[in-house]
Amino acid sequence: MAKELGALIAQRGWVLLNGGRNQGVMAASAEGAKQAGGTVIGILPDSTDGHASPHLDFAIMTDMGDGRNLLNVLSSDVVIACLGKLGTLSEVVLALKRDKRVILLGWELTDPQFARFAKTGQLTDAKTPEDAVEQVSAALSIRAASAGER
Amino acid sequence: MAKELGALIAQRGWVLLNGGRNQGVMAASAEGAKQAGGTVIGILPDSTDGHASPHLDFAIMTDMGDGRNLLNVLSSDVVIACLGKLGTLSEVVLALKRDKRVILLGWELTDPQFARFAKTGQLTDAKTPEDAVEQVSAALSIRAASAGER
Amino acid sequence: MAKELGALIAQRGWVLLNGGRNQGVMAASAEGAKQAGGTVIGILPDSTDGHASPHLDFAIMTDMGDGRNLLNVLSSDVVIACLGKLGTLSEVVLALKRDKRVILLGWELTDPQFARFAKTGQLTDAKTPEDAVEQVSAALSIRAASAGER
Amino acid sequence: MAKELGALIAQRGWVLLNGGRNQGVMAASAEGAKQAGGTVIGILPDSTDGHASPHLDFAIMTDMGDGRNLLNVLSSDVVIACLGKLGTLSEVVLALKRDKRVILLGWELTDPQFARFAKTGQLTDAKTPEDAVEQVSAALSIRAASAGER
């Protein structure tokens, strides 16, 4: 699913930015995006690119461990979170805190802490990669319209 | 409740470390700890101590915004999370990721992502500050015993 | 000189990575690189792209202030430092510490602390942008040869 | 000399804050301060206290590598730099950038970049630990007087 998501992101002409390592969702989405001719940026927790996915166009080295998760979030226009572990969850939480639009792909968050973000539409879930990408497109349109009004 | 928690931490002879700002749970727990004769360290998101609680003994300035939440977690032996907003939640998630013992004071996390941590006892909840402090004490004893075995 | 340097970097097919802000050497080198058809990444000290150069292809937001200088260094293969202020100097020092090849364009560092790096050739100076770019090319060839031997 | 400096800092009733590791100037100054009954905080580049000096009262873990050098600087009122390597030099540069008073103990910086800071008195050198501590005292008096005027 992550690979398909990467491909769809590339087909839209968007840049895929993720945590950059050669494992799990990061590696799969990077591979999908590259195979579809897209551009991939990885923000790595490491000080070198020794653990980087081979599918990155650009590797940003931070030497910050999990501290780089905030950078992933701040550098993204919209955040799509594939079902992952705690690193992904920390990105979802930080993204909501920093007012980013967040889409959960293939999972949900039901704790009361998340209810108000679901209510305003800042946090939604998507059943499929196509659905997620459609939601990103809508979010970017709203942003563009809102910027145009200023 | 945060103020009472701070006082209890101080009475145990432990150091209170929190986010350091002069607001909410951070300020209340710092005040409680200081009034009970304790020591308080604040790790601030800011580059100066302009927004620091007046009850800190030591202020660490990071200029990292929410990025400092990871430092709070890494620098703590045990994490007690009072019901807060997304900043607190990000600290809970990062603490679990970094294998820290986490106690939720006055709230719960029921999302499936948290279930396995509840199962192993890494994540528990406490009804009262006294309960939380008792759980910290037990966690520190286990750590000390485990270190002694090495 | 920074603008010309950016153009030469682009003509070589290399990526220009700098601090990303819309001022001084950062803005000038980014402009030069873009006009020559190159790719520019900016790693910003800010949490948004409000102060970013309009000539960036990709903006990485860190919300780390001067703390992002280390990321610039770690993410670069070779560091060219145009005569700047203390931010630039901190990058030179961190780059040397992290074993990066550093070229000073249009200035020198004569303090004894730098002597051993000049002696080994890790730190050199260049009189012109052309000279700097030639030195980068040589450094990259040595790296490639050394990687090939492994 | 670092050990003597630590002792003198403790005798003045000041807190010693340094990089926290169990090596070189960090370890020696921490030991001196503790033996003189002082308080020592270490801001470590690591994610655990495995490499911490045994003379720390408080260890702050950052998992940021050299990125923690900025935190040392921001969290200090005055910076005393014993002759060290590039890590120390990066702290001197960042401290000057962030408007901190800097005292070089037992060495000098003669590059033109530093001249204007020497001119204004922001950067000075000291021959002995006693001299350095006297200069800190004077700097803190000026700060206190300036705060009193507000």
Side-chain angles (χ1 to χ4, degrees):
Chain A
M1 195 157 69
K3 192 172 170 187
E4 189 187 343
L5 177 66
L8 290 171
I9 287 172
Q11 286 160 16
R12 294 277 181 156
W14 302 329
V15 174
L16 173 65
L17 184 152
N18 68 27
R21 277 206 165 172
N22 193 19
Q23 61 185 58
V25 165
M26 295 180 277
S29 60
E31 187 180 359
K34 279 317 292 176
Q35 289 181 354
T39 300
V40 185
I41 300 178
I43 302 186
L44 291 150
D46 313 296
S47 62
T48 71
D49 62 3
H51 296 285
S53 158
H55 302 292
L56 300 185
D57 291 285
F58 308 108
I60 306 297
M61 269 67 84
T62 66
D63 201 10
M64 292 174 70
D66 297 307
R68 72 82 154 79
N69 292 4
L70 178 61
L71 280 60
N72 291 354
V73 162
L74 293 175
S75 304
S76 299
D77 293 307
V78 176
V79 174
I80 303 176
C82 296
L83 182 53
K85 296 184 182 167
L86 292 168
T88 303
L89 190 53
S90 76
E91 289 172 327
V92 167
V93 174
L94 290 168
L96 292 173
K97 185 167 196 302
R98 301 306 286 252
D99 299 322
K100 298 283 179 180
R101 180 74 172 80
V102 180
I103 299 160
L104 307 174
L105 174 51
W107 58 302
E108 290 175 49
L109 282 167
T110 56
D111 266 310
Q113 279 79 7
F114 299 107
R116 66 185 178 98
F117 301 99
K119 205 168 180 178
T120 63
Q122 189 187 338
L123 176 68
T124 58
D125 53 84
K127 295 274 180 289
T128 62
E130 287 81 5
D131 182 9
V133 166
E134 271 305 311
Q135 292 192 36
V136 172
S137 184
L140 294 175
S141 301
I142 291 165
R143 273 173 47 122
S146 150
E149 273 166 27
R150 274 188 238 144
Chain B
M1 194 157 71
K3 191 172 170 185
E4 190 188 344
L5 177 66
L8 291 171
I9 287 171
Q11 286 161 17
R12 295 276 181 154
W14 302 329
V15 174
L16 173 65
L17 183 150
N18 68 27
R21 278 208 165 169
N22 194 19
Q23 62 186 56
V25 165
M26 295 180 275
S29 60
E31 186 179 359
K34 280 316 293 176
Q35 289 182 353
T39 300
V40 185
I41 301 178
I43 301 186
L44 290 150
D46 313 295
S47 62
T48 71
D49 63 1
H51 295 287
S53 157
H55 302 291
L56 301 185
D57 291 286
F58 308 108
I60 306 297
M61 267 68 82
T62 66
D63 201 9
M64 291 174 70
D66 297 307
R68 71 84 154 78
N69 292 4
L70 178 63
L71 280 60
N72 292 354
V73 161
L74 294 174
S75 304
S76 298
D77 292 307
V78 176
V79 174
I80 305 176
C82 297
L83 181 53
K85 295 184 185 167
L86 292 169
T88 303
L89 189 54
S90 76
E91 289 173 328
V92 168
V93 174
L94 290 169
L96 293 172
K97 184 169 197 301
R98 302 305 287 250
D99 299 322
K100 299 283 178 178
R101 179 75 172 79
V102 179
I103 300 160
L104 307 175
L105 174 51
W107 58 303
E108 290 175 51
L109 282 167
T110 56
D111 267 311
Q113 280 79 7
F114 299 108
R116 67 185 177 99
F117 301 99
K119 205 167 180 179
T120 62
Q122 190 187 338
L123 177 68
T124 59
D125 53 82
K127 294 275 180 289
T128 63
E130 287 81 3
D131 182 9
V133 165
E134 271 305 312
Q135 291 192 37
V136 172
S137 184
L140 294 175
S141 302
I142 291 166
R143 273 173 46 121
S146 152
E149 273 165 27
R150 272 186 238 149
Chain C
M1 194 157 71
K3 193 173 169 185
E4 189 187 342
L5 177 66
L8 291 171
I9 288 171
Q11 287 160 17
R12 294 275 182 158
W14 302 329
V15 174
L16 173 64
L17 183 152
N18 67 28
R21 277 208 166 169
N22 194 18
Q23 61 185 57
V25 165
M26 296 180 275
S29 59
E31 187 180 358
K34 279 317 293 175
Q35 289 182 353
T39 300
V40 185
I41 300 178
I43 301 185
L44 290 150
D46 312 295
S47 62
T48 70
D49 62 2
H51 295 287
S53 158
H55 301 291
L56 301 184
D57 291 285
F58 308 108
I60 306 297
M61 268 66 85
T62 66
D63 201 10
M64 293 174 69
D66 297 307
R68 71 82 155 79
N69 292 3
L70 178 62
L71 280 61
N72 292 352
V73 161
L74 293 174
S75 304
S76 298
D77 292 307
V78 176
V79 174
I80 304 177
C82 296
L83 181 53
K85 295 185 182 166
L86 292 168
T88 303
L89 190 53
S90 77
E91 289 173 327
V92 168
V93 173
L94 290 168
L96 292 173
K97 184 168 197 301
R98 302 305 287 253
D99 299 323
K100 298 285 179 178
R101 179 74 172 80
V102 179
I103 299 161
L104 308 174
L105 173 51
W107 58 301
E108 291 176 48
L109 282 167
T110 57
D111 266 310
Q113 279 79 8
F114 298 107
R116 67 186 179 96
F117 301 99
K119 205 167 179 178
T120 62
Q122 190 187 339
L123 176 69
T124 58
D125 52 83
K127 295 274 180 288
T128 63
E130 287 81 3
D131 182 9
V133 166
E134 271 305 312
Q135 292 192 37
V136 172
S137 184
L140 294 175
S141 302
I142 292 167
R143 274 173 45 120
S146 150
E149 275 166 23
R150 273 188 237 146
Chain D
M1 194 157 72
K3 192 173 171 186
E4 189 188 344
L5 177 66
L8 291 172
I9 286 171
Q11 286 161 18
R12 295 276 182 154
W14 301 329
V15 174
L16 174 65
L17 183 153
N18 67 29
R21 278 209 165 167
N22 193 19
Q23 62 185 58
V25 164
M26 295 180 276
S29 59
E31 187 179 0
K34 279 317 292 176
Q35 289 182 354
T39 300
V40 185
I41 300 177
I43 302 185
L44 290 150
D46 312 297
S47 62
T48 72
D49 62 2
H51 295 286
S53 157
H55 301 291
L56 300 185
D57 291 285
F58 308 108
I60 306 297
M61 267 68 82
T62 66
D63 201 11
M64 292 175 69
D66 297 306
R68 71 82 153 79
N69 292 4
L70 178 62
L71 281 59
N72 291 353
V73 161
L74 293 174
S75 304
S76 299
D77 292 307
V78 176
V79 174
I80 304 177
C82 297
L83 181 53
K85 294 183 184 167
L86 292 169
T88 304
L89 190 53
S90 77
E91 289 173 326
V92 167
V93 173
L94 290 168
L96 292 173
K97 184 168 196 303
R98 301 305 288 250
D99 299 323
K100 299 284 179 178
R101 180 73 172 82
V102 179
I103 299 161
L104 307 174
L105 175 50
W107 57 303
E108 290 175 51
L109 282 167
T110 56
D111 267 310
Q113 280 79 6
F114 299 107
R116 66 186 179 100
F117 301 99
K119 205 168 180 179
T120 62
Q122 190 188 339
L123 176 69
T124 59
D125 53 82
K127 294 274 179 290
T128 64
E130 288 82 3
D131 182 8
V133 166
E134 272 303 312
Q135 290 191 37
V136 172
S137 184
L140 294 175
S141 302
I142 291 166
R143 274 173 45 121
S146 151
E149 273 165 25
R150 275 186 236 149

